[in-house]
Amino acid sequence: MVALYLIRHGQASFGADDYDRLSALGIAQGRVVGQLLGARLGDTGVVAISGSLTRHRDTAAACLEAMGRAGTAVAVDTDLNEYDPADLVARHRPDLADAAALRAELSTAPDPRRAYQALFAEAVTRWMAGDHDADYAESWPVFRHRVLAGLARAAQTGGQTSGQTGAAVLVFSSGGPIMVAVQAVLGLDAAAARQVHWGLVNGGVTKLLVPTRAVGRVGPGWSLSSLNEQAGLEGPDGLLTYR
């Protein structure tokens, strides 16, 4: 049996010119997750795989250091990268394709984060509907296919590394790929999958169990063990964030 721990990256730099950079809070979230996983996994062998985005790799580094496994090699798989949110927004609202135009629009809202989430939810709904696939640099079916391929490779790596028993594979990625994983395992429709997506917290852990006979393809035999674990992030320290 292979256990995949899908870890959403820590808080990135929302509103900054370079979103793909962890905030100080995002680094702290990665460390908290690492402390908890270190206590949980003990001496279990660990395989680490990350998307190629900076927020993925830096979350992996913070987490593994806190686990006491700073020397662990992290394999990079671009198939675990997030979709391009700017492209989704631009196709939904061409007038906001320019980053400056988007910032100006949001600056007029009483709560810019809430306003962006509402806009973004509309953009993702359009993207997933399948009626405008040709509009996008990466359509929903193409995105889903590549993420599932990346997840299957992660499970295969775990099976090969562990000698078929007790593998713990840490996968550092984003909300979109985790949504794809949960949708595929539970057979959710698009609307239900989006509800999973919006609830995923920074640093949240989703655990999938994969029999070694089924590592080659996400589907029958795969099961959801836990969704969006966040116990270490809750509390008065302000570590619980969604964006």
Side-chain angles (χ1 to χ4, degrees):
M1 184 70 73
V2 175
L4 294 182
Y5 294 84
L6 310 183
I7 302 164
R8 188 184 174 209
H9 61 79
Q11 184 189 60
S13 299
F14 179 79
D17 290 335
D18 182 12
Y19 171 77
D20 190 25
R21 177 175 53 84
L22 291 186
S23 67
L25 183 59
I27 295 171
Q29 289 165 335
R31 290 173 177 157
V32 168
V33 172
Q35 291 166 359
L36 294 172
L37 285 174
R40 179 173 177 176
L41 295 176
D43 295 330
T44 300
V46 165
V47 175
I49 303 173
S50 169
S52 67
L53 301 178
T54 300
R55 58 188 183 273
H56 300 158
R57 293 183 283 109
D58 287 353
T59 301
C63 179
L64 291 168
E65 181 179 18
M67 291 178 71
R69 299 178 187 245
T72 301
V74 180
V76 173
D77 189 340
T78 58
D79 280 348
L80 298 171
N81 283 355
E82 184 64 288
Y83 51 74
D84 181 357
D87 185 55
L88 270 57
V89 171
R91 302 308 174 184
H92 174 56
R93 287 281 304 273
D95 58 313
L96 301 179
D98 181 74
L102 177 58
R103 283 197 293 268
E105 173 89 0
L106 295 177
S107 69
T108 65
D111 186 339
R113 287 178 180 266
R114 187 179 295 274
Y116 178 78
Q117 181 57 39
L119 170 67
F120 189 57
E122 293 173 356
V124 172
T125 298
R126 180 185 190 271
W127 177 57
M128 293 178 68
D131 299 326
H132 309 279
D133 286 350
D135 290 356
Y136 296 98
E138 182 177 48
S139 68
W140 163 249
V142 171
F143 171 73
R144 188 175 185 276
H145 178 78
R146 75 154 164 91
V147 169
L148 292 176
L151 291 169
R153 280 195 299 276
Q156 287 176 314
T157 299
Q160 294 164 358
T161 303
S162 68
Q164 309 289 318
T165 58
V169 183
L170 308 185
V171 178
F172 298 90
S173 186
S174 290
I178 296 171
M179 168 182 65
V180 168
V182 174
Q183 181 191 38
V185 171
L186 297 184
L188 303 179
D189 63 21
R194 286 193 295 275
Q195 289 305 307
V196 170
H197 191 359
W198 307 144
L200 296 173
V201 301
N202 295 117
V205 178
T206 294
K207 181 180 178 182
L208 303 178
L209 296 177
V210 187
T212 52
R213 70 179 187 280
V215 294
R217 182 177 182 181
V218 182
W222 289 51
S223 61
L224 180 68
S225 177
S226 67
L227 173 64
N228 200 29
E229 297 177 35
Q230 54 193 267
L233 302 170
E234 294 175 328
D237 295 332
L239 290 173
L240 188 66
T241 62
Y242 295 86
R243 186 174 297 285

